[in-house]
PDB file of all heavy atoms in Angstrom:
ATOM      1  N   HIS A  29     -30.495   8.454 -51.315  1.00 72.00           N
ATOM      2  CA  HIS A  29     -30.611   7.240 -52.116  1.00 72.00           C
ATOM      3  C   HIS A  29     -31.254   7.437 -53.471  1.00 72.00           C
ATOM      4  O   HIS A  29     -31.652   6.491 -54.111  1.00 72.00           O
ATOM      5  CB  HIS A  29     -31.382   6.160 -51.341  1.00 72.00           C
ATOM      6  CG  HIS A  29     -30.588   5.543 -50.249  1.00 72.00           C
ATOM      7  ND1 HIS A  29     -31.054   5.480 -48.962  1.00 72.00           N
ATOM      8  CD2 HIS A  29     -29.363   4.980 -50.237  1.00 72.00           C
ATOM      9  CE1 HIS A  29     -30.144   4.898 -48.210  1.00 72.00           C
ATOM     10  NE2 HIS A  29     -29.115   4.584 -48.953  1.00 72.00           N
ATOM     11  N   GLY A  30     -31.424   8.660 -53.930  1.00 78.00           N
ATOM     12  CA  GLY A  30     -31.909   8.869 -55.281  1.00 78.00           C
ATOM     13  C   GLY A  30     -33.320   9.360 -55.418  1.00 78.00           C
ATOM     14  O   GLY A  30     -34.040   8.918 -56.305  1.00 78.00           O
ATOM     15  N   CYS A  31     -33.725  10.285 -54.565  1.00 87.00           N
ATOM     16  CA  CYS A  31     -35.085  10.827 -54.667  1.00 87.00           C
ATOM     17  C   CYS A  31     -35.340  11.418 -56.053  1.00 87.00           C
ATOM     18  O   CYS A  31     -36.389  11.191 -56.633  1.00 87.00           O
ATOM     19  CB  CYS A  31     -35.316  11.898 -53.611  1.00 87.00           C
ATOM     20  SG  CYS A  31     -35.556  11.254 -51.953  1.00 87.00           S
ATOM     21  N   ASP A  32     -34.383  12.184 -56.562  1.00 87.00           N
ATOM     22  CA  ASP A  32     -34.563  12.796 -57.883  1.00 87.00           C
ATOM     23  C   ASP A  32     -34.777  11.738 -58.949  1.00 87.00           C
ATOM     24  O   ASP A  32     -35.646  11.873 -59.801  1.00 87.00           O
ATOM     25  CB  ASP A  32     -33.345  13.656 -58.244  1.00 87.00           C
ATOM     26  CG  ASP A  32     -33.413  15.039 -57.622  1.00 87.00           C
ATOM     27  OD1 ASP A  32     -34.453  15.692 -57.772  1.00 87.00           O
ATOM     28  OD2 ASP A  32     -32.425  15.453 -56.999  1.00 87.00           O
ATOM     29  N   ALA A  33     -33.979  10.685 -58.907  1.00 88.00           N
ATOM     30  CA  ALA A  33     -34.081   9.625 -59.914  1.00 88.00           C
ATOM     31  C   ALA A  33     -35.445   8.942 -59.852  1.00 88.00           C
ATOM     32  O   ALA A  33     -36.016   8.594 -60.889  1.00 88.00           O
ATOM     33  CB  ALA A  33     -32.963   8.604 -59.716  1.00 88.00           C
ATOM     34  N   VAL A  34     -35.963   8.757 -58.661  1.00 91.00           N
ATOM     35  CA  VAL A  34     -37.258   8.095 -58.499  1.00 91.00           C
ATOM     36  C   VAL A  34     -38.389   9.005 -58.971  1.00 91.00           C
ATOM     37  O   VAL A  34     -39.212   8.619 -59.799  1.00 91.00           O
ATOM     38  CB  VAL A  34     -37.497   7.675 -57.025  1.00 91.00           C
ATOM     39  CG1 VAL A  34     -38.919   7.183 -56.818  1.00 91.00           C
ATOM     40  CG2 VAL A  34     -36.493   6.605 -56.613  1.00 91.00           C
ATOM     41  N   VAL A  35     -38.427  10.217 -58.463  1.00 90.00           N
ATOM     42  CA  VAL A  35     -39.535  11.131 -58.752  1.00 90.00           C
ATOM     43  C   VAL A  35     -39.540  11.554 -60.221  1.00 90.00           C
ATOM     44  O   VAL A  35     -40.599  11.690 -60.829  1.00 90.00           O
ATOM     45  CB  VAL A  35     -39.479  12.367 -57.817  1.00 90.00           C
ATOM     46  CG1 VAL A  35     -40.516  13.397 -58.205  1.00 90.00           C
ATOM     47  CG2 VAL A  35     -39.683  11.932 -56.373  1.00 90.00           C
ATOM     48  N   LYS A  36     -38.368  11.713 -60.795  1.00 88.00           N
ATOM     49  CA  LYS A  36     -38.285  12.174 -62.179  1.00 88.00           C
ATOM     50  C   LYS A  36     -38.224  11.028 -63.194  1.00 88.00           C
ATOM     51  O   LYS A  36     -38.066  11.263 -64.384  1.00 88.00           O
ATOM     52  CB  LYS A  36     -37.091  13.104 -62.335  1.00 88.00           C
ATOM     53  CG  LYS A  36     -37.283  14.388 -61.520  1.00 88.00           C
ATOM     54  CD  LYS A  36     -36.100  15.303 -61.578  1.00 88.00           C
ATOM     55  CE  LYS A  36     -36.375  16.541 -60.718  1.00 88.00           C
ATOM     56  NZ  LYS A  36     -35.233  17.424 -60.624  1.00 88.00           N
ATOM     57  N   SER A  37     -38.408   9.806 -62.731  1.00 92.00           N
ATOM     58  CA  SER A  37     -38.421   8.658 -63.643  1.00 92.00           C
ATOM     59  C   SER A  37     -39.758   8.609 -64.380  1.00 92.00           C
ATOM     60  O   SER A  37     -40.693   9.336 -64.061  1.00 92.00           O
ATOM     61  CB  SER A  37     -38.216   7.354 -62.871  1.00 92.00           C
ATOM     62  OG  SER A  37     -39.392   7.006 -62.170  1.00 92.00           O
ATOM     63  N   LYS A  38     -39.851   7.704 -65.332  1.00 94.00           N
ATOM     64  CA  LYS A  38     -41.112   7.558 -66.074  1.00 94.00           C
ATOM     65  C   LYS A  38     -42.245   7.062 -65.180  1.00 94.00           C
ATOM     66  O   LYS A  38     -43.409   7.194 -65.511  1.00 94.00           O
ATOM     67  CB  LYS A  38     -40.934   6.628 -67.270  1.00 94.00           C
ATOM     68  CG  LYS A  38     -40.689   5.184 -66.920  1.00 94.00           C
ATOM     69  CD  LYS A  38     -40.557   4.346 -68.171  1.00 94.00           C
ATOM     70  CE  LYS A  38     -40.387   2.877 -67.823  1.00 94.00           C
ATOM     71  NZ  LYS A  38     -40.325   2.043 -69.024  1.00 94.00           N
ATOM     72  N   TYR A  39     -41.900   6.504 -64.033  1.00 94.00           N
ATOM     73  CA  TYR A  39     -42.907   6.021 -63.090  1.00 94.00           C
ATOM     74  C   TYR A  39     -43.473   7.145 -62.225  1.00 94.00           C
ATOM     75  O   TYR A  39     -44.349   6.918 -61.411  1.00 94.00           O
ATOM     76  CB  TYR A  39     -42.325   4.926 -62.198  1.00 94.00           C
ATOM     77  CG  TYR A  39     -41.846   3.739 -62.993  1.00 94.00           C
ATOM     78  CD1 TYR A  39     -40.497   3.580 -63.293  1.00 94.00           C
ATOM     79  CD2 TYR A  39     -42.745   2.800 -63.469  1.00 94.00           C
ATOM     80  CE1 TYR A  39     -40.060   2.499 -64.042  1.00 94.00           C
ATOM     81  CE2 TYR A  39     -42.316   1.712 -64.218  1.00 94.00           C
ATOM     82  CZ  TYR A  39     -40.972   1.579 -64.510  1.00 94.00           C
ATOM     83  OH  TYR A  39     -40.551   0.512 -65.250  1.00 94.00           O
ATOM     84  N   GLY A  40     -42.976   8.363 -62.394  1.00 93.00           N
ATOM     85  CA  GLY A  40     -43.458   9.520 -61.654  1.00 93.00           C
ATOM     86  C   GLY A  40     -44.768  10.069 -62.205  1.00 93.00           C
ATOM     87  O   GLY A  40     -45.313  11.018 -61.668  1.00 93.00           O
ATOM     88  N   GLN A  41     -45.247   9.450 -63.290  1.00 93.00           N
ATOM     89  CA  GLN A  41     -46.507   9.863 -63.894  1.00 93.00           C
ATOM     90  C   GLN A  41     -47.385   8.648 -64.137  1.00 93.00           C
ATOM     91  O   GLN A  41     -46.882   7.549 -64.360  1.00 93.00           O
ATOM     92  CB  GLN A  41     -46.275  10.540 -65.238  1.00 93.00           C
ATOM     93  CG  GLN A  41     -45.548  11.851 -65.176  1.00 93.00           C
ATOM     94  CD  GLN A  41     -45.479  12.503 -66.549  1.00 93.00           C
ATOM     95  OE1 GLN A  41     -45.908  11.941 -67.544  1.00 93.00           O
ATOM     96  NE2 GLN A  41     -44.939  13.706 -66.591  1.00 93.00           N
ATOM     97  N   THR A  42     -48.682   8.878 -64.113  1.00 93.00           N
ATOM     98  CA  THR A  42     -49.654   7.851 -64.453  1.00 93.00           C
ATOM     99  C   THR A  42     -50.639   8.478 -65.437  1.00 93.00           C
ATOM    100  O   THR A  42     -51.223   9.519 -65.136  1.00 93.00           O
ATOM    101  CB  THR A  42     -50.392   7.355 -63.200  1.00 93.00           C
ATOM    102  OG1 THR A  42     -49.422   6.878 -62.264  1.00 93.00           O
ATOM    103  CG2 THR A  42     -51.360   6.233 -63.532  1.00 93.00           C
ATOM    104  N   PHE A  43     -50.761   7.861 -66.591  1.00 93.00           N
ATOM    105  CA  PHE A  43     -51.625   8.401 -67.652  1.00 93.00           C
ATOM    106  C   PHE A  43     -51.252   9.839 -67.999  1.00 93.00           C
ATOM    107  O   PHE A  43     -52.115  10.662 -68.291  1.00 93.00           O
ATOM    108  CB  PHE A  43     -53.104   8.303 -67.276  1.00 93.00           C
ATOM    109  CG  PHE A  43     -53.552   6.921 -66.894  1.00 93.00           C
ATOM    110  CD1 PHE A  43     -54.067   6.680 -65.634  1.00 93.00           C
ATOM    111  CD2 PHE A  43     -53.441   5.867 -67.787  1.00 93.00           C
ATOM    112  CE1 PHE A  43     -54.481   5.404 -65.273  1.00 93.00           C
ATOM    113  CE2 PHE A  43     -53.856   4.595 -67.439  1.00 93.00           C
ATOM    114  CZ  PHE A  43     -54.372   4.359 -66.179  1.00 93.00           C
ATOM    115  N   GLY A  44     -49.955  10.157 -67.938  1.00 92.00           N
ATOM    116  CA  GLY A  44     -49.476  11.490 -68.289  1.00 92.00           C
ATOM    117  C   GLY A  44     -49.671  12.545 -67.220  1.00 92.00           C
ATOM    118  O   GLY A  44     -49.389  13.716 -67.431  1.00 92.00           O
ATOM    119  N   VAL A  45     -50.162  12.145 -66.050  1.00 95.00           N
ATOM    120  CA  VAL A  45     -50.396  13.078 -64.940  1.00 95.00           C
ATOM    121  C   VAL A  45     -49.419  12.747 -63.818  1.00 95.00           C
ATOM    122  O   VAL A  45     -49.211  11.580 -63.483  1.00 95.00           O
ATOM    123  CB  VAL A  45     -51.856  12.974 -64.426  1.00 95.00           C
ATOM    124  CG1 VAL A  45     -52.092  13.920 -63.261  1.00 95.00           C
ATOM    125  CG2 VAL A  45     -52.843  13.242 -65.550  1.00 95.00           C
ATOM    126  N   GLU A  46     -48.844  13.790 -63.247  1.00 94.00           N
ATOM    127  CA  GLU A  46     -47.902  13.602 -62.144  1.00 94.00           C
ATOM    128  C   GLU A  46     -48.560  12.845 -60.987  1.00 94.00           C
ATOM    129  O   GLU A  46     -49.671  13.192 -60.580  1.00 94.00           O
ATOM    130  CB  GLU A  46     -47.405  14.956 -61.625  1.00 94.00           C
ATOM    131  CG  GLU A  46     -46.597  15.751 -62.611  1.00 94.00           C
ATOM    132  CD  GLU A  46     -45.262  15.120 -62.906  1.00 94.00           C
ATOM    133  OE1 GLU A  46     -44.660  14.517 -61.990  1.00 94.00           O
ATOM    134  OE2 GLU A  46     -44.828  15.211 -64.059  1.00 94.00           O
ATOM    135  N   ASN A  47     -47.871  11.839 -60.468  1.00 95.00           N
ATOM    136  CA  ASN A  47     -48.385  11.107 -59.303  1.00 95.00           C
ATOM    137  C   ASN A  47     -48.590  12.041 -58.115  1.00 95.00           C
ATOM    138  O   ASN A  47     -49.488  11.825 -57.294  1.00 95.00           O
ATOM    139  CB  ASN A  47     -47.433   9.977 -58.920  1.00 95.00           C
ATOM    140  CG  ASN A  47     -47.406   8.871 -59.941  1.00 95.00           C
ATOM    141  OD1 ASN A  47     -48.322   8.722 -60.741  1.00 95.00           O
ATOM    142  ND2 ASN A  47     -46.355   8.092 -59.935  1.00 95.00           N
ATOM    143  N   THR A  48     -47.765  13.079 -58.043  1.00 96.00           N
ATOM    144  CA  THR A  48     -47.879  14.013 -56.931  1.00 96.00           C
ATOM    145  C   THR A  48     -49.211  14.762 -56.971  1.00 96.00           C
ATOM    146  O   THR A  48     -49.767  15.099 -55.924  1.00 96.00           O
ATOM    147  CB  THR A  48     -46.715  15.016 -56.940  1.00 96.00           C
ATOM    148  OG1 THR A  48     -46.649  15.634 -58.224  1.00 96.00           O
ATOM    149  CG2 THR A  48     -45.401  14.331 -56.628  1.00 96.00           C
ATOM    150  N   LEU A  49     -49.736  15.022 -58.162  1.00 97.00           N
ATOM    151  CA  LEU A  49     -51.054  15.672 -58.264  1.00 97.00           C
ATOM    152  C   LEU A  49     -52.149  14.751 -57.753  1.00 97.00           C
ATOM    153  O   LEU A  49     -53.049  15.189 -57.030  1.00 97.00           O
ATOM    154  CB  LEU A  49     -51.340  16.086 -59.709  1.00 97.00           C
ATOM    155  CG  LEU A  49     -50.568  17.289 -60.223  1.00 97.00           C
ATOM    156  CD1 LEU A  49     -50.871  17.528 -61.694  1.00 97.00           C
ATOM    157  CD2 LEU A  49     -50.895  18.520 -59.405  1.00 97.00           C
ATOM    158  N   PHE A  50     -52.072  13.471 -58.141  1.00 97.00           N
ATOM    159  CA  PHE A  50     -53.027  12.506 -57.600  1.00 97.00           C
ATOM    160  C   PHE A  50     -52.916  12.455 -56.085  1.00 97.00           C
ATOM    161  O   PHE A  50     -53.928  12.399 -55.376  1.00 97.00           O
ATOM    162  CB  PHE A  50     -52.793  11.107 -58.179  1.00 97.00           C
ATOM    163  CG  PHE A  50     -53.194  10.955 -59.616  1.00 97.00           C
ATOM    164  CD1 PHE A  50     -52.280  10.494 -60.551  1.00 97.00           C
ATOM    165  CD2 PHE A  50     -54.479  11.247 -60.040  1.00 97.00           C
ATOM    166  CE1 PHE A  50     -52.635  10.329 -61.880  1.00 97.00           C
ATOM    167  CE2 PHE A  50     -54.856  11.096 -61.368  1.00 97.00           C
ATOM    168  CZ  PHE A  50     -53.929  10.638 -62.291  1.00 97.00           C
ATOM    169  N   GLY A  51     -51.692  12.480 -55.588  1.00 97.00           N
ATOM    170  CA  GLY A  51     -51.462  12.452 -54.143  1.00 97.00           C
ATOM    171  C   GLY A  51     -52.080  13.659 -53.448  1.00 97.00           C
ATOM    172  O   GLY A  51     -52.770  13.519 -52.432  1.00 97.00           O
ATOM    173  N   MET A  52     -51.846  14.848 -54.001  1.00 98.00           N
ATOM    174  CA  MET A  52     -52.405  16.049 -53.386  1.00 98.00           C
ATOM    175  C   MET A  52     -53.932  16.008 -53.378  1.00 98.00           C
ATOM    176  O   MET A  52     -54.554  16.367 -52.377  1.00 98.00           O
ATOM    177  CB  MET A  52     -51.906  17.306 -54.105  1.00 98.00           C
ATOM    178  CG  MET A  52     -50.456  17.633 -53.782  1.00 98.00           C
ATOM    179  SD  MET A  52     -49.915  19.251 -54.401  1.00 98.00           S
ATOM    180  CE  MET A  52     -49.860  18.968 -56.164  1.00 98.00           C
ATOM    181  N   LEU A  53     -54.533  15.559 -54.470  1.00 98.00           N
ATOM    182  CA  LEU A  53     -55.996  15.450 -54.513  1.00 98.00           C
ATOM    183  C   LEU A  53     -56.513  14.444 -53.493  1.00 98.00           C
ATOM    184  O   LEU A  53     -57.510  14.695 -52.810  1.00 98.00           O
ATOM    185  CB  LEU A  53     -56.457  15.065 -55.916  1.00 98.00           C
ATOM    186  CG  LEU A  53     -56.349  16.154 -56.967  1.00 98.00           C
ATOM    187  CD1 LEU A  53     -56.665  15.598 -58.355  1.00 98.00           C
ATOM    188  CD2 LEU A  53     -57.264  17.318 -56.641  1.00 98.00           C
ATOM    189  N   TYR A  54     -55.835  13.305 -53.401  1.00 98.00           N
ATOM    190  CA  TYR A  54     -56.235  12.275 -52.437  1.00 98.00           C
ATOM    191  C   TYR A  54     -56.164  12.819 -51.009  1.00 98.00           C
ATOM    192  O   TYR A  54     -57.110  12.688 -50.230  1.00 98.00           O
ATOM    193  CB  TYR A  54     -55.339  11.035 -52.593  1.00 98.00           C
ATOM    194  CG  TYR A  54     -55.470  10.069 -51.457  1.00 98.00           C
ATOM    195  CD1 TYR A  54     -56.626   9.317 -51.285  1.00 98.00           C
ATOM    196  CD2 TYR A  54     -54.440   9.904 -50.533  1.00 98.00           C
ATOM    197  CE1 TYR A  54     -56.757   8.435 -50.223  1.00 98.00           C
ATOM    198  CE2 TYR A  54     -54.559   9.019 -49.481  1.00 98.00           C
ATOM    199  CZ  TYR A  54     -55.714   8.283 -49.325  1.00 98.00           C
ATOM    200  OH  TYR A  54     -55.847   7.421 -48.287  1.00 98.00           O
TER     201      TYR A  54
END
């Protein structure tokens, strides 16, 4: 259903940092 489109969208970052990095830290 579009994982690439979701993860690589502009919403994939917060304050210029990848959401995945925040996730890994959390």
Side-chain angles (χ1 to χ4, degrees):
H29 286 127
C31 285
D32 278 310
V34 171
V35 173
K36 295 177 181 175
S37 75
K38 68 179 183 177
Y39 300 100
Q41 294 185 356
T42 303
F43 306 120
V45 179
E46 295 292 325
N47 291 340
T48 53
L49 286 176
F50 288 125
M52 286 189 289
L53 288 173
Y54 167 70

